[in-house]
């Protein structure tokens, strides 16, 4: 049992003396998956949020603070010190990734290692960006020394499904560009930050990074209402992003870096390699129980192959094994959000009451904090599962006759992150790609949707994202181009 009663404000690891919130784990060492008390975390409020804001604002000091004015080489040294210390916490952080959010051992290790690699790659790109933007250039008799500078104070809120990797894909570029940060981890995935607090404290000047815990409305809202935040960096749902954005008294001044919802489709053409398409759709829809913004959330199968695809896909889903994250034979793990099984059940009930069937034998079996993935067919637009981002183990399937049908649906959708396209004939695929890239931001050929490699842009159209992540783009998202001009005399 871990009491995570330490938080970080103004370069000080403080002990919390107030009310603690229990944190339950969804995994269990017994047969019965009852939530077990894993630890406790501080339940902070407005006064604590204001203290962190004050620390971040003073450290930035309108661009005149130690951190925003620090030489690039010295900022890099701080980041290198941080990542070296972070590496020593691997065993502990990985353990908490499994316990807190039910991520498999392999995926938890991958998340940690990917984050370390992300930090090193960011440092390399930062050096490159600095070299390139530091050059003199000349136009119409004006010499310019162009540089990239920070924007100010960042409020950083990460998601529960990648509490380390995705959160750090906001935090690290924000910091290295010279901004100061207030970071509040997601509700699930708080304890895993505790081994990193000392690394933050000892690597960065005071007030540059502040770590707080608590509910959004009690901690994030007062910070936004102060009007002192320059960047809202959030990965989560649009509702929270809009609510927070609206609380800022001067929205025009606020820069947004948002990774939001998606409803990524897979389109399976008549000539697709079915073995490959089925395997990729299994991973795409159900890895980490479908709790990924990049998960495939609706499958469009050409009517000529639908019977075969559905039969084989449903059988493969039923072969998936549920259990604890540390068991290597397992691919489905308990769901950290206790409301999720009931929500998925609602989607299933709604779809079946409107004509869909659960086509896999085990689909919808509920036990405590787990629901076995349900494959639903045929889906129509009257059903909630067609519109809502399920973020969990339910797979809706539709058929199409003409390729224009899924394209029209994608054009009408509120989302526009990625698509997977399965087929062989290049003459069909090539013109389709030209249309698809205008509907989403990444087209995956004969493979499922995903975020990485982290060097590639990660963004979305419409309600899926604002600003672009990836190592290269994130450095730009968290900075502004400035220049010093001089004329030839
Ligand atoms: O939840 C959204 C994540 O960005 C998914 O990342 O595709 O690497 O699993 P991933």
């Amino acid at each position: 049992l871990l009491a995570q009663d330490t938080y970080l404000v103004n370069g000080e690891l403080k002990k919390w003396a107030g009310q603690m919130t229990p944190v339950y784990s969804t995994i269990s060492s017994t047969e019965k998956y009852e939530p077990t008390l894993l630890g406790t975390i501080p339940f902070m409020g407005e006064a604590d949020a204001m203290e962190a804001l004050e620390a971040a604002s003073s450290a930035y000091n309108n661009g005149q603070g130690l951190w925003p004015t620090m030489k690039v080489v010295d900022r890099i040294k701080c980041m290198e010190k941080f990542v070296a210390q972070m590496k020593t916490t691997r065993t502990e952080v990985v353990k908490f990734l499994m316990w807190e959010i039910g991520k498999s051992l392999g995926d938890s290790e991958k998340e940690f290692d990917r984050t370390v690699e992300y930090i090193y790659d960011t440092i390399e790109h930062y050096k490159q960006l600095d070299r390139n933007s530091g050059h003199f250039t000349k136009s119409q008799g004006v010499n310019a020394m162009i540089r990239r500078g920070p924007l100010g104070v960042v409020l950083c809120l990460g998601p529960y499904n990648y509490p380390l990797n995705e959160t750090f894909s906001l935090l690290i570029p924000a910091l290295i560009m010279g901004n100061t940060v207030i970071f509040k981890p997601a509700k699930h995935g708080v304890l895993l930050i505790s081994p990193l607090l000392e690394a933050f404290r000892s690597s960065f000047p005071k007030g540059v990074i502040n770590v707080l815990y608590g509910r959004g409305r009690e901690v994030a809202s007062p910070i936004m209402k102060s009007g002192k935040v320059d960047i809202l960096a959030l990965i989560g749902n649009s509702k929270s992003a809009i609510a927070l954005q609206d609380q800022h008294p001067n929205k025009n001044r606020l820069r947004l870096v948002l990774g939001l919802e998606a409803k990524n489709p897979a389109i399976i053409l008549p000539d697709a390699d079915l073995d490959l398409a089925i395997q990729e759709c299994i991973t795409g829809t159900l890895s980490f129980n479908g709790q990924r913004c990049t998960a495939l959330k609706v499958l469009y199968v050409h009517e000529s192959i639908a019977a075969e695809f559905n039969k084989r896909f449903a059988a493969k889903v039923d072969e998936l094994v549920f259990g604890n994250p540390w068991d290597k034979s397992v691919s489905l793990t308990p769901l950290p959000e206790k409301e999720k099984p009931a929500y998925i059940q609602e989607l299933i009930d709604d779809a079946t009451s409107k004509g869909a069937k659960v086509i896999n034998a085990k689909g919808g079996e509920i036990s405590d904090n787990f629901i076995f993935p349900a494959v639903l067919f045929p889906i129509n637009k009257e059903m909630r599962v067609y519109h809502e981002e399920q973020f969990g183990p339910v797979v809706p399937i539709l058929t199409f006759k003409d390729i224009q049908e899924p394209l029209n649906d994608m054009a009408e959708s509120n989302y526009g992150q990625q698509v997977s396209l399965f087929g062989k004939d290049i003459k069909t695929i090539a013109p389709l790609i030209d249309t698809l890239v205008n509907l989403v931001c990444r087209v995956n050929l004969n493979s499922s949707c995903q975020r990485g490699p982290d060097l590639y842009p990660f963004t979305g159209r419409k309600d899926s994202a604002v600003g672009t992540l990836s190592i290269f783009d994130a450095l730009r998202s968290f900075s502004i181009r400035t220049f010093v001009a001089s004329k030839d005399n």
Side-chain angles (χ1 to χ4, degrees):
L1 192 75
L2 185 94
Q4 164 52 334
D5 54 357
T6 310
Y7 62 106
L8 176 65
V9 170
N10 207 23
E12 248 184 85
L13 291 179
K14 299 195 174 202
K15 277 272 177 206
W16 176 252
Q19 194 190 338
M20 297 293 281
T21 319
V23 180
Y24 290 96
S25 174
T26 56
I27 62 174
S28 165
S29 45
T30 64
E31 284 289 290
K32 190 132 176 67
Y33 281 82
E34 275 165 351
T36 45
L37 187 62
L38 186 59
T40 53
I41 51 161
F43 190 65
M44 300 183 138
E46 183 167 347
D48 316 295
M50 288 300 112
E51 202 190 342
L53 175 65
E54 180 50 37
S57 302
S58 307
Y60 190 70
N61 190 19
N62 292 312
Q64 299 171 73
L66 175 66
W67 186 244
T69 56
M70 191 180 270
K71 283 201 186 105
V72 167
V73 282
D74 294 327
R75 273 215 293 264
I76 288 173
K77 276 189 201 144
C78 295
M79 197 53 87
E80 283 170 343
K81 184 171 175 194
F82 172 74
V83 69
Q85 270 185 259
M86 178 181 166
K87 276 159 58 182
T88 66
T89 66
R90 185 177 189 266
T91 313
E92 227 180 328
V93 174
V94 164
K95 190 177 70 190
F96 279 115
L97 273 166
M98 290 194 289
W99 278 102
E100 280 191 273
I101 62 162
K103 191 167 271 194
S104 72
L105 171 62
D107 285 348
S108 298
E109 288 175 337
K110 233 188 271 166
E111 175 158 356
F112 189 92
D113 297 341
R114 179 178 178 182
T115 309
V116 167
E117 196 182 328
Y118 179 94
I119 300 174
Y120 282 123
D121 285 344
T122 301
I123 292 172
E124 278 319 302
H125 273 74
Y126 179 49
K127 286 181 190 163
Q128 206 179 309
L129 185 74
D130 184 60
R131 266 198 305 273
N132 295 342
S133 60
H135 282 162
F136 276 103
T137 179
K138 186 174 179 176
S139 174
Q140 297 175 10
V142 178
N143 300 303
M145 169 67 164
I146 298 181
R147 345 179 189 189
R148 280 213 159 251
L151 285 151
V153 174
V154 183
L155 175 62
C156 175
L157 306 167
Y160 82 82
N161 64 337
Y162 275 94
L164 190 69
N165 183 265
E166 262 204 309
T167 307
F168 275 45
S169 71
L170 302 171
L171 195 59
I172 299 300
L175 283 173
I176 208 164
M177 291 311 306
N179 304 287
T180 61
V181 177
I182 305 149
F183 161 41
K184 187 187 90 59
K187 186 164 84 179
H188 308 281
V190 167
L191 296 175
L192 62 91
I193 298 299
S194 62
L196 298 168
L197 286 183
E198 174 53 22
F200 279 131
R201 191 203 63 78
S202 58
S203 307
F204 298 102
K206 67 176 194 170
V208 168
I209 164 84
N210 303 277
V211 185
L212 284 185
Y213 312 103
R215 291 204 197 103
R217 61 177 175 277
E218 275 125 25
V219 174
S221 294
I223 292 176
M224 289 306 288
K225 284 181 189 159
S226 73
K228 291 183 181 165
V229 169
D230 301 288
I231 307 182
L232 172 63
L234 174 149
I235 293 180
N237 62 57
S238 324
K239 216 169 115 200
S240 319
I242 293 168
L244 284 170
Q245 205 180 320
D246 285 346
Q247 288 164 6
H248 196 289
N250 193 345
K251 276 201 275 177
N252 291 345
R253 282 204 202 157
L254 183 67
R255 181 175 290 196
L256 300 171
V257 184
L258 308 175
L260 303 172
E261 294 141 45
K263 190 86 185 170
N264 294 339
I267 301 174
I268 297 121
L269 299 171
D271 67 341
D273 173 338
L274 271 199
D275 288 333
L276 175 71
I278 289 167
Q279 195 43 55
E280 287 293 317
C281 288
I282 293 278
T283 328
T285 52
L286 293 172
S287 63
F288 195 39
N289 304 297
Q291 302 165 110
R292 296 161 60 230
C293 63
T294 49
L296 288 173
K297 298 200 178 97
V298 55
L299 308 183
Y300 287 88
V301 187
H302 191 266
E303 60 173 19
S304 62
I305 51 164
E308 181 69 7
F309 178 92
N310 288 354
K311 191 172 94 196
R312 287 167 57 188
F313 181 79
K316 275 260 179 228
V317 170
D318 279 345
E319 284 170 18
L320 299 174
V321 179
F322 167 68
N324 272 329
W326 51 80
D327 179 347
K328 290 208 168 107
S329 63
V330 148
S331 42
L332 303 167
T333 50
L335 301 164
E337 295 178 298
K338 65 176 188 318
E339 323 72 31
K340 195 49 85 61
Y343 168 67
I344 297 293
Q345 185 64 59
E346 269 179 36
L347 294 181
I348 297 171
D349 292 345
D350 172 73
T352 49
S353 74
K354 292 170 183 161
K357 287 203 164 57
V358 176
I359 61 165
N360 58 322
K362 295 191 194 167
E365 281 175 10
I366 290 197
S367 61
D368 305 310
N369 50 1
F370 176 71
I371 179 162
F372 199 90
V375 185
L376 288 170
F377 178 80
I379 293 305
N380 64 49
K381 293 182 186 175
E382 303 308 310
M383 300 173 186
R384 285 175 58 190
V385 74
Y386 174 84
H387 300 277
E388 293 174 29
E389 187 198 32
Q390 63 267 44
F391 219 78
V394 58
V395 186
I397 304 184
L398 285 82
T399 54
F400 67 95
K401 195 198 265 287
D402 185 325
I403 187 63
Q404 202 51 48
E405 295 163 34
L407 296 182
N408 290 345
D409 288 353
M410 286 173 69
E412 279 167 20
S413 166
N414 290 331
Y415 305 116
Q417 192 200 66
Q418 302 189 21
V419 64
S420 287
L421 182 63
F422 294 92
K424 289 195 194 112
D425 179 18
I426 194 69
K427 286 201 207 82
T428 312
I429 290 173
L432 255 180
I433 292 173
D434 291 340
T435 306
L436 288 169
V437 287
N438 290 342
L439 295 169
V440 292
C441 289
R442 173 166 168 164
V443 178
N444 299 279
L445 294 178
N446 295 308
S447 61
S448 59
C449 299
Q450 59 185 294
R451 175 159 47 106
D454 291 324
L455 282 169
Y456 295 149
F458 176 56
T459 184
R461 296 172 187 272
K462 301 188 259 186
D463 293 344
S464 284
V466 178
T468 305
L469 290 175
S470 88
I471 289 158
F472 188 74
D473 297 287
L475 292 171
R476 288 163 176 76
S477 296
F478 286 98
S479 62
I480 190 164
R481 237 148 71 99
T482 60
F483 72 100
V484 181
S486 64
K487 284 193 177 172
D488 287 336
N489 291 316

